[in-house]
Amino acid sequence: MGSEERAAFSGAGRACPGKQGLPQPAQEADRETDERFMREALRLAQEAAAEGEVPVGAVVVRGGEIVGRGRNRRERGKTALAHAELEAIAGACRTLGGWRLWQCTLYVTLEPCPMCAGAIINARLPRLVFGASDPKAGSCGSVVDLFALPYNHHPAVTCGVLAEESAELLRGFFRSLRGK
């Protein structure tokens, strides 16, 4: 594995990118809850990989219940808009009957891109939890931190939850593509 591949899709055991190395406080119960929902996002990412899509999965949770699910479907749908986060947010909006997701948390296996970070802001999601950092397109601290800009909404971010599992799923997917 090259150094570029090792650097890509990281995040295990470190602070959120762009957050000046400050650790994020997490209680044991919060960590268990975060891991439980991130495992569901990972399951969706595996489904995406099985269909030849970049393995990213996402769930929106309110009150301990999943109200929206999503996985990448860009190749299948032939659209740049078919990101896991957007699919999960749209599902949550349908389930809850509105666009303001102010009581929800989004769990996603990869740090959101600018488009998805914008959707998080617009949906008024108060909290984002992601697994692997994305040094090429991550917009929650890796490349840019859109949540630090003077928008009207600033979600709390927890990163690195099951980061190594998320990163390995992505690395394995891209290794298999290069092998073909």
Side-chain angles (χ1 to χ4, degrees):
M1 179 185 313
S3 61
E4 185 175 296
E5 187 174 85
R6 271 192 301 274
F9 312 121
S10 61
R14 64 185 189 88
C16 286
K19 304 295 183 200
Q20 285 74 20
L22 298 174
Q24 295 187 328
Q27 296 177 339
E28 191 64 33
D30 292 339
R31 185 176 21 239
E32 288 174 12
T33 298
D34 287 349
E35 287 182 2
R36 177 167 50 105
F37 291 118
M38 188 62 74
R39 287 195 192 290
E40 178 61 18
L42 276 165
R43 188 189 67 72
L44 291 163
Q46 291 165 343
E47 287 180 13
E51 294 180 359
E53 300 281 355
V54 174
V56 178
V59 295
V60 175
V61 175
R62 184 180 78 169
E65 178 185 345
I66 295 174
V67 294
R69 289 178 166 79
R71 63 180 192 252
N72 273 3
R73 297 179 199 258
R74 291 190 309 173
E75 300 302 325
R76 184 177 185 192
K78 308 269 187 263
T79 176
L81 302 177
H83 285 209
E85 299 95 322
L86 297 184
E87 191 173 278
I89 289 169
C93 290
R94 281 190 303 275
T95 299
L96 299 174
W99 62 270
R100 290 178 186 90
L101 302 178
W102 61 279
Q103 295 178 316
C104 300
T105 298
L106 173 67
Y107 293 86
V108 61
T109 58
L110 181 64
E111 180 181 2
C113 72
M115 176 177 66
C116 294
I120 291 164
I121 291 168
N122 281 299
R124 308 296 194 269
L125 281 153
R127 183 167 182 247
L128 164 69
V129 179
F130 70 85
S133 297
D134 185 352
K136 294 184 178 183
S139 295
C140 304
S142 289
V143 174
V144 66
D145 187 354
L146 291 181
F147 300 150
L149 296 177
Y151 290 110
N152 61 336
H153 182 70
H154 303 275
V157 178
T158 301
C159 68
V161 175
L162 301 181
E164 190 51 43
E165 292 93 329
S166 298
E168 186 50 43
L169 186 58
L170 287 156
R171 286 190 297 259
F173 175 80
F174 287 111
R175 258 193 313 268
S176 72
L177 282 183
R178 285 191 300 274
K180 290 183 178 179

